[in-house]
């Protein structure tokens, strides 16, 4: 019983088709409170699609996705999305909004009081390591790629959601910035007690951040285990990923 | 009179026409925006509608403007003569750039940004209002700017359906062979177009993304919004305060409950305007209120009479007989008058006044110098010489039953060069300057003497008689009877030529010329 109540997202035999193409193929997955679940896989294997099924940007063709025990199709889509934080690849910030306005988006949609929004925005910018005095009134194009990703994370956290979906948030950043952000992010999520579903195609990132790794291939989950067990796996695809990491380490 | 003297004397009329012009453009653009932008938004939501709707808008824009105006005239409710028809035509023209740019602007918003908006839990309406429209605004404003510039140009044609505007000067200038009028109309509308282009371009810049982020331009944007609102209100309200042209036809004055208002129409040439003005002023002398609906082209005046938008206008028996009743041409003057009167009464419930005294027949004209050189008197004498002549005729003459085809056959003309079809008013000038050698004008035209043209006698009696009369709605016969009697046989052909020349040659206003005639004839 205890375990069941701590499931925050559950995929039950989920298929997702576009025309004849099977994008997600019989996906079964439970995501527990407090996890950082990594969706790992090559480009085109269905990671983004899996995320979008959770906040009902798309709906399953067959099967169901439960969020907090209720099928996404039974949720009001707007309510569901506002209680799930979403960080997009390359941030997807509104170019005509200031940084503060971008961060304040969901609280404003939820009609928070102005003063509460202002405090929350300041708090969020500090949390992701951006000085509010310096950044609040700037526009996205005046920030570096790394700073924009931080704003993206602040925006996703602003309305205090329990669940965060992150779609390769650090993918487009240079290596150094990426490593810094990964560390800070891992600490942040742990401190705040959030659950996160984190998409990446980078095994190293998966090891740094993940409490569990789901390896995907052609719309299926082919391996679902802890980082420690992942290293010992026999699966050829998993071994191929491990090769990439060890070959880098060998070179170093 | 040079151009600057002309402007000095006519600036108040020019301003009034400019205001009418702006009114047409603003109202039609406002309607096109109010319908086009939501429609464009809908098209981004229902993509399958894009091809058909944009296709229709595209076709609408390729319809030549004069043809579109013409097509709208006979339609109930939306058609007729006056500002309303012009506004509808202009609105149809403005749709394409506005709808297309709305679709392009919204589709052009970064897909990532739109996805973020949805994923953050924005409703479709919120995404539209807070994300898509602000980011698409510069593109939409470009569409509006294009629409306005097109509308300023097309609105010059609106004068042809009696909607006023700067086209009034252009049409009048062509008709009266008056460069000052032409220039004043054309230059003013060109300046309007350039100014609108510039001003809207500046506004567009204020809404560009770089400036949306710029706090300093925020006050300017506020100023623009307030300015636009004030301008709109002013242009919408002013005409209702001061100008009857914009009062929507049909909606008033349909009953004759002792109401002594007569709506006088005219066709779109000098003589018709002078006659209408003589009628109008004669009525006004009797204390009757007159509304003037002048310069209606083609069969518009007849249509307007039928659809109860005017009460009376000057016409010619020959035109009524052949062009409107579609009867084959006759040469017996009395017979044409009698049959036209009878058939108008039976078929249209319209009343023909007694003849005014003169006829405006087709006049085959050549240069005076050519006539003297070759000692020409009649059309028949010109036939053997005409092999290498270039003839030029108005559209009307080329198309009507008693026009070119029958004429060429009756006289056995054999032009080697295809006659040029052009605006009637331009044929006089082209003939005088030697670009063409023979035209079909009007026998009462003042320009015949002014430009030293010579009328060849119709020795085969081909052309039917064109006695001038007034045609009126029967329900206004009572009021008009006295005036009809007064004008019976009151104007000779020479007199009419003189009146026409006073306007076309001496550049006097038809109003002045009519007033002078009335005061001379009636003590
Ligand atoms: N709108 C769509 N139409 C057709 N195919 C799509 C669409 N969206 C995604 N796909 C296909 O679905 C598969 C999975 O896509 P995605 O979930 O974005 O992959 P990933 O995020 O793992 O790179 C890909 O093969 C992609 O081509
Ligand atoms: Mg992806």
């Amino acid at each position: 019983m205890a375990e069941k109540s701590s499931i925050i997202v559950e995929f039950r035999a989920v298929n997702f088709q576009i025309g004849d193409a099977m994008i997600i193929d019989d996906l079964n997955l439970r995501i527990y409170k407090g996890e950082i679940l990594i969706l790992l896989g090559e480009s085109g294997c269905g990671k983004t699609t899996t995320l979008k099924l959770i906040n009902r940007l798309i709906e399953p063709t067959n099967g169901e996705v439960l969020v907090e025990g209720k099928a996404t199709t039974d949720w009001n889509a707007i309510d569901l999305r506002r209680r799930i934080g979403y960080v997009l690849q390359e941030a997807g910030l509104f170019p005509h909004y200031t940084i503060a306005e971008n961060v304040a988006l969901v609280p404003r949609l939820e009609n928070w009081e102005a003063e509460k929004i202002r405090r929350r925005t300041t708090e969020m910018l500090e949390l992701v390591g951006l000085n509010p005095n310096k950044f609040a009134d700037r526009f996205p194009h005046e920030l570096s790629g790394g700073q924009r990703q931080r704003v993206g994370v602040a925006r996703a956290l602003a309305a205090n959601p329990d669940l965060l979906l992150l779609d390769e948030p650090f993918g487009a950043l240079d290596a150094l910035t990426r490593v810094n952000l990964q560390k800070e992010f891992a600490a942040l999520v742990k401190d705040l007690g959030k659950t996160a579903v984190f998409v990446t195609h980078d095994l190293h990132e998966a090891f740094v951040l993940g409490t569990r790794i789901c390896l995907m291939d052609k719309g299926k989950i082919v391996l679902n285990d802890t980082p420690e067990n992942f290293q010992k796996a026999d699966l050829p695809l998993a071994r191929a990923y491990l090769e990439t990491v060890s070959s880098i380490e060998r070179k170093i | 009179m040079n151009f600057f003297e002309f402007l000095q004397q006519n600036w108040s009329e020019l301003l009034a026409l400019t205001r009418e012009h702006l009114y047409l453009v603003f109202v039609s653009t406002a309607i096109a925006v109010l319908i086009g932008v939501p429609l464009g938004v809908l098209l981004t939501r229902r993509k399958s509608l894009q091809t058909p709707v944009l296709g229709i808008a595209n076709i609408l824009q390729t319809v030549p403007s004069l043809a579109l105006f013409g097509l709208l005239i006979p339609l109930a409710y939306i058609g007729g003569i006056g500002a309303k028809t012009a506004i509808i035509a202009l609105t149809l023209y403005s749709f394409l750039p506005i709808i297309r740019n709305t679709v392009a602007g919204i589709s052009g918003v970064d897909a990532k940004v739109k996805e973020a908006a949805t994923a953050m839990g924005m409703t479709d309406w919120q995404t539209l209002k807070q994300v898509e429209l602000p980011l698409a605004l510069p593109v939409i404003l470009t569409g509006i700017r294009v629409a306005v510039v097109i509308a300023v140009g097309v609105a010059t044609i609106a004068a042809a359906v009696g909607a006023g505007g700067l086209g009034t000067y252009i049409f009048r200038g062509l008709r009266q062979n008056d460069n000052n009028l032409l220039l004043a109309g054309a230059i003013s509308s060109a300046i309007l177009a350039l100014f609108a282009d510039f001003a809207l371009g500046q506004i567009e810049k204020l809404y560009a993304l770089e400036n949306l982020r710029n706090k300093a331009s925020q006050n300017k944007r506020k100023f623009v919004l307030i300015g636009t609102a004030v301008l709109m209100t002013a242009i919408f309200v002013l005409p209702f305060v001061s100008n009857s042209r914009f009062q929507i036809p049909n909606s008033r004055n349909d009953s004759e409950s002792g109401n002594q208002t007569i709506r006088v129409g005219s066709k779109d040439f000098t003589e018709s305007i002078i006659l209408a003005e003589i009628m109008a002023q004669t009525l006004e002398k009797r204390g009757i209120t007159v509304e003037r609906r002048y310069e209606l082209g083609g069969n518009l005046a007849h249509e307007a009479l039928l659809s109860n938008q005017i009460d009376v206008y000057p016409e010619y028996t020959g035109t009524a007989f052949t062009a409107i009743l579609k009867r084959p041409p006759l040469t017996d003057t009395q017979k044409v008058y009698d049959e036209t009167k009878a058939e108008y009464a039976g078929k249209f419930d319209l009343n023909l006044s007694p003849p005014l005294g003169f006829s405006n027949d087709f006049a085959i004209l050549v240069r005076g110098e050519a006539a003297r050189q070759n000692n020409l008197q009649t059309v028949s004498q010109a036939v053997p010489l005409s092999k290498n002549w270039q003839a030029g005729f108005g559209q009307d003459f080329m198309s009507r039953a008693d026009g070119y085809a029958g004429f060429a056959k009756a006289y056995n003309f054999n032009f080697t060069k295809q006659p040029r079809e052009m605006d009637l008013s331009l044929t006089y000038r082209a003939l005088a300057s030697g670009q063409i050698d023979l035209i079909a004008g009007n026998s009462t035209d003042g320009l015949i003497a002014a430009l030293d043209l010579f009328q060849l006698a119709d020795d085969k009696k081909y052309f039917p008689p064109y006695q001038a009369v007034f045609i009126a709605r029967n329900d206004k016969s009572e009021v008009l009877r006295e005036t009809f009697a007064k004008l019976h046989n009151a104007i000779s052909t020479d007199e009419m030529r003189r009146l026409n020349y006073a306007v076309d040659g001496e550049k006097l206003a038809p109003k002045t010329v009519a007033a002078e005639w009335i005061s001379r004839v009636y003590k």
Side-chain angles (χ1 to χ4, degrees):
Chain A
M1 258 339 253
E3 195 189 59
K4 185 160 185 160
S5 69
S6 71
I7 296 173
I8 186 161
V9 177
E10 181 171 6
F11 284 76
R12 287 188 183 158
V14 171
N15 284 344
F16 179 72
Q17 269 172 272
I18 296 177
D20 286 337
M22 192 63 89
I23 312 289
I24 297 297
D25 191 357
D26 192 28
L27 191 85
N28 289 284
L29 175 66
R30 286 175 171 186
I31 302 169
Y32 297 93
K33 283 210 170 115
E35 281 196 289
I36 299 185
L37 181 98
I38 305 290
L39 292 177
L40 177 72
E42 286 166 56
S43 184
C45 70
K47 307 181 295 292
T48 298
T49 309
T50 306
L51 280 195
K52 288 181 177 174
L53 283 162
I54 298 174
N55 67 354
R56 201 180 160 183
L57 287 177
I58 53 179
E59 291 169 9
T61 312
N62 289 306
E64 54 184 4
V65 180
L66 306 175
V67 174
E68 291 170 12
K70 188 156 97 176
T72 51
T73 47
D74 292 337
W75 278 93
N76 174 310
I78 302 298
D79 289 343
L80 179 69
R81 289 173 196 150
R82 286 189 191 168
R83 56 193 295 147
I84 299 177
Y86 192 62
V87 185
L88 292 85
Q89 202 169 350
E90 293 173 46
L93 300 180
F94 295 173
H96 58 309
Y97 277 24
T98 62
I99 298 309
E101 286 166 344
N102 266 290
V103 173
L105 180 64
V106 184
R108 189 172 57 77
L109 294 176
E110 292 283 280
N111 295 318
W112 291 17
E113 283 166 30
E115 180 51 30
K116 193 177 163 199
I117 293 179
R118 208 192 52 74
R119 259 187 288 118
R120 183 67 179 172
T121 306
T122 310
E123 192 187 331
M124 285 302 104
L125 286 175
E126 276 164 357
L127 188 71
V128 297
L130 294 174
N131 179 352
N133 293 327
K134 204 168 147 199
F135 288 97
D137 293 329
R138 292 200 189 173
F139 284 89
H141 75 291
E142 297 168 306
L143 270 58
S144 71
Q147 289 166 336
R148 281 202 288 270
Q149 282 312 134
R150 289 170 191 265
V151 178
V153 173
R155 178 175 68 177
L157 289 169
N160 202 16
D162 291 331
L163 177 61
L164 284 177
L165 309 178
L166 302 103
D167 194 356
E168 307 196 35
F170 309 140
L173 303 180
D174 63 89
L176 213 60
T177 314
R178 186 165 64 220
V179 170
N180 276 334
L181 274 176
Q182 284 167 351
K183 281 186 196 142
E184 288 175 36
F185 177 75
L188 190 74
V189 174
K190 255 178 220 125
D191 290 350
L192 297 174
K194 306 284 181 199
T195 311
V197 184
F198 193 110
V199 166
T200 182
H201 57 261
D202 174 0
L203 181 65
H204 185 78
E205 189 167 71
F207 281 150
V208 173
L209 295 176
T211 55
R212 192 148 60 102
I213 298 174
C214 284
L215 181 61
M216 293 187 69
D217 185 30
K218 299 192 182 90
K220 286 179 192 287
I221 293 181
V222 291
L223 188 70
N224 178 356
D225 221 325
T226 60
E228 296 75 45
N229 290 341
F230 190 94
Q231 293 190 3
K232 294 177 237 155
D234 297 329
L235 193 73
L237 187 62
R239 302 256 34 111
Y241 265 96
L242 288 164
E243 278 297 305
T244 63
V245 176
S246 53
S247 74
I248 294 169
E249 277 165 4
R250 238 181 283 127
K251 270 181 203 149
I252 294 166
Chain B
M1 187 169 18
N2 73 30
F3 187 54
F4 292 99
E5 287 165 358
F6 172 87
L7 288 184
Q8 244 165 20
Q9 282 175 25
N10 294 284
W11 66 271
S12 72
E13 189 185 18
L14 185 60
L15 275 185
L17 292 176
T18 306
R19 202 198 63 210
E20 286 175 6
H21 206 88
L22 282 175
Y23 173 83
L24 295 174
V25 170
F26 271 98
V27 174
S28 57
T29 308
I31 298 172
V33 168
L34 289 179
I35 299 175
V37 171
L39 193 57
V41 170
L42 179 73
L43 294 190
T44 62
R45 303 308 198 251
R46 305 260 179 285
K47 294 224 165 59
S48 59
L49 292 178
Q50 273 184 23
T51 315
V53 172
L54 286 176
I56 291 169
N58 226 328
I59 290 168
L60 278 177
Q61 191 144 65
T62 60
V63 178
S65 38
L66 202 51
L68 185 58
F69 283 112
L71 288 172
L72 286 172
I73 300 291
L75 299 184
Y77 301 113
I78 62 166
I81 55 167
K84 193 177 54 166
T85 306
I87 286 168
I88 288 167
L90 290 175
T91 304
L92 294 177
Y93 274 110
S94 301
F95 273 146
L96 181 65
I98 291 174
I99 299 175
R100 193 181 46 201
N101 280 40
T102 304
V103 172
I106 290 179
S107 308
V109 174
D110 185 357
K112 275 278 174 225
V113 170
K114 280 192 247 191
E115 193 190 323
T118 315
M120 295 304 133
M122 291 180 101
T123 61
D124 189 43
W125 178 242
Q126 288 167 332
T127 307
L128 180 68
K129 236 178 67 182
Q130 299 174 26
V131 180
E132 291 176 306
L133 283 180
L135 291 174
L137 201 56
V139 182
I140 298 175
L141 286 174
T142 306
I144 295 175
R145 178 163 58 91
V146 170
V148 166
V149 172
I150 293 175
V152 169
V154 175
T156 56
I157 314 280
V161 293
L166 290 165
T168 309
Y169 266 11
I170 297 178
F171 279 105
R172 205 183 288 163
L174 282 173
R175 207 160 51 226
Q176 298 176 10
N177 200 3
D178 184 335
N179 282 332
N180 285 335
L181 282 167
L182 264 177
L183 281 177
I187 292 177
S188 305
S189 64
I191 289 175
L192 273 191
L194 289 174
F195 177 75
D197 193 41
F198 174 78
L200 291 170
Q202 293 304 109
I203 294 176
E204 217 173 290
K205 275 195 198 136
L206 284 181
Y207 285 90
L209 188 53
E210 308 85 77
N211 286 319
L212 277 185
R213 297 161 172 154
N214 177 350
K215 297 274 177 218
S217 69
Q218 220 149 45
N219 285 332
K220 284 192 206 155
R221 279 196 296 277
K222 240 175 245 159
F223 179 76
V224 163
L225 284 181
I226 294 169
T228 311
V230 169
L231 200 64
M232 280 291 188
T233 322
I235 287 172
F236 270 94
V237 170
L238 267 178
F240 293 104
V241 179
S242 63
N243 195 332
S244 66
R245 170 145 27 213
F246 295 104
Q247 281 162 359
I248 293 163
N250 275 340
S251 62
R252 37 180 273 137
N253 200 27
D254 285 349
S255 71
E256 316 88 86
S257 52
N259 188 337
Q260 292 275 299
T261 299
I262 295 288
R263 298 158 301 174
V264 179
S266 87
K267 299 181 144 197
D268 63 344
F269 48 89
T270 303
E271 183 169 299
S272 190
I273 297 168
I274 294 172
L275 293 174
E277 195 54 45
I278 286 175
M279 167 61 72
Q281 291 184 23
T282 311
L283 290 171
E284 280 169 344
K285 276 212 150 57
R286 288 172 47 201
I288 295 166
T289 314
V290 171
E291 267 181 42
R292 292 166 168 81
R293 300 267 171 81
Y294 291 173
E295 310 188 38
L296 304 169
N299 279 349
L300 269 184
H302 176 68
E303 306 277 356
L305 198 58
L306 282 182
S307 55
N308 196 14
Q309 297 178 23
I310 59 174
D311 296 311
V312 60
Y313 81 97
E315 184 55 283
Y316 305 94
T317 52
T319 310
F321 193 68
T322 54
I324 291 170
L325 296 173
K326 312 279 184 221
R327 297 273 298 270
L330 288 181
T331 46
D332 183 335
T333 307
Q334 191 56 42
K335 200 170 170 203
V336 170
Y337 179 86
D338 292 340
E339 291 195 13
T340 305
K341 188 170 172 73
E343 209 165 321
Y344 260 61
K347 205 166 171 179
F348 303 131
D349 195 26
L350 294 176
N351 180 28
L352 244 67
S353 78
L356 304 184
F358 72 93
S359 287
N360 183 353
D361 304 322
F362 274 119
I364 298 302
L365 301 172
V366 294
R367 273 183 302 285
E369 168 217 322
R372 286 187 292 273
Q373 255 175 29
N374 300 303
N375 201 13
L376 294 177
Q377 295 297 329
T378 65
V379 175
S380 295
Q381 289 167 359
V383 174
L385 299 173
S386 68
K387 258 205 157 34
N388 292 316
W389 284 5
Q390 174 69 64
F393 300 119
Q395 291 95 344
D396 196 36
F397 188 71
M398 289 302 282
S399 62
R400 55 198 294 162
D402 54 357
Y404 175 70
F407 165 72
K409 204 149 137 214
Y411 278 98
N412 220 351
F413 266 106
N414 200 0
F415 296 113
T416 45
K417 294 179 195 154
Q418 175 70 20
R420 206 163 277 160
E421 183 170 340
M422 55 200 287
D423 192 87
L424 177 61
S425 54
L426 293 176
T427 60
Y428 288 89
R429 185 190 291 216
L431 176 62
S433 67
Q435 290 162 23
I436 50 180
D437 306 301
L438 181 140
I439 67 172
N442 303 312
S443 59
T444 54
D445 202 306
L447 288 176
I448 295 177
L451 295 174
D452 184 28
L453 307 179
F454 184 81
Q455 178 175 359
L456 299 174
D458 177 21
D459 52 320
K460 297 214 165 148
K461 295 257 164 273
Y462 168 73
F463 290 117
Y466 288 84
Q467 280 188 301
V469 294
F470 278 100
I471 299 185
R473 295 180 60 78
N474 259 334
D475 52 18
K476 294 290 160 57
S477 303
E478 272 321 296
V479 191
L480 291 169
R481 183 170 299 138
E482 189 189 321
T483 310
F484 281 178
K486 211 169 180 176
L487 294 175
H488 184 194
N489 281 336
I491 309 171
S492 69
T493 302
D494 277 348
E495 183 71 34
M496 194 64 237
R497 229 181 238 194
R498 214 182 54 71
L499 295 178
N500 282 333
Y501 187 70
V503 174
D504 291 337
E506 293 161 18
K507 311 297 180 202
L508 296 173
K511 221 174 194 139
T512 317
V513 173
E516 188 261 348
W517 182 85
I518 290 172
S519 68
R520 194 154 42 80
V521 174
Y522 304 110
K523 90 173 160 318

